[in-house]
């Protein structure tokens, strides 16, 4: 009887399949988190919803660090409505003004942000670059 050294094709395929499954489970840890575009689009939708529910103009301010806060125009003295931090943000700072009817525009001081983030002013939807 001859002894064969090595692996059969079935054994090699099973090992490759298991390695592929392990890589698919571990890869998301090493890949970048959610795109800043998706985070900004979600935040703009949330701001639009807040403006519509409150029936007032809401200002969404995003700092260079990614820190953001919403402030109501009619209730500015009350302080920010809410705030947070965008993890993947690396754009210029700016303030987006969202009306209660769902339209929006960057304020005059936010020209760099308006160039970096394309937003449809009528629907307040973030456009793909």
């Amino acid at each position: 009887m001859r002894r064969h050294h090595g692996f059969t094709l079935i054994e090699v395929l099973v090992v490759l399949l298991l390695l592929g499954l392990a890589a698919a489970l571990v890869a998301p840890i090493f890949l970048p988190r959610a795109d800043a575009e998706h985070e900004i689009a979600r935040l703009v939708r949330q701001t639009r919803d807040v403006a519509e529910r409150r029936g007032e103009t809401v200002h969404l301010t995003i700092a260079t660090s990614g820190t953001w806060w919403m402030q109501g125009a009619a209730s500015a003295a009350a302080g920010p409505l809410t705030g947070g931090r965008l993890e993947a943000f690396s754009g210029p700072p700016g303030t987006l003004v969202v009306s209660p009817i769902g339209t929006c525009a960057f304020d005059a001081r936010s020209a760099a942000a308006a160039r970096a983030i394309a937003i449809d002013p009528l629907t307040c939807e973030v456009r793909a670059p």
Side-chain angles (χ1 to χ4, degrees), residues 72-85:
S75 58
L81 301 172
T82 187
R85 180 157 164 51

Side-chain angles (χ1 to χ4, degrees), residues 43 61 66-70 82-86:
L43 185 57
T61 303
T67 303
W68 62 269
W69 60 93
M70 284 184 219
T82 187
R85 180 157 164 51
L86 297 171

Side-chain angles (χ1 to χ4, degrees), residues 3 6 9 15 26 28 30-31 36-37 46 49 66 72 74 78 86 91 127-128:
R3 283 192 90 104
L9 180 60
V15 169
V26 174
F30 297 107
L31 297 176
E37 295 168 12
Q46 180 183 359
D49 291 343
L86 297 171
R127 297 183 200 139

Side-chain angles (χ1 to χ4, degrees), residues 80-100:
L81 301 172
T82 187
R85 180 157 164 51
L86 297 171
E87 294 298 323
F89 185 75
S90 63
T95 300
L96 184 68
V97 181
V98 182
S99 76

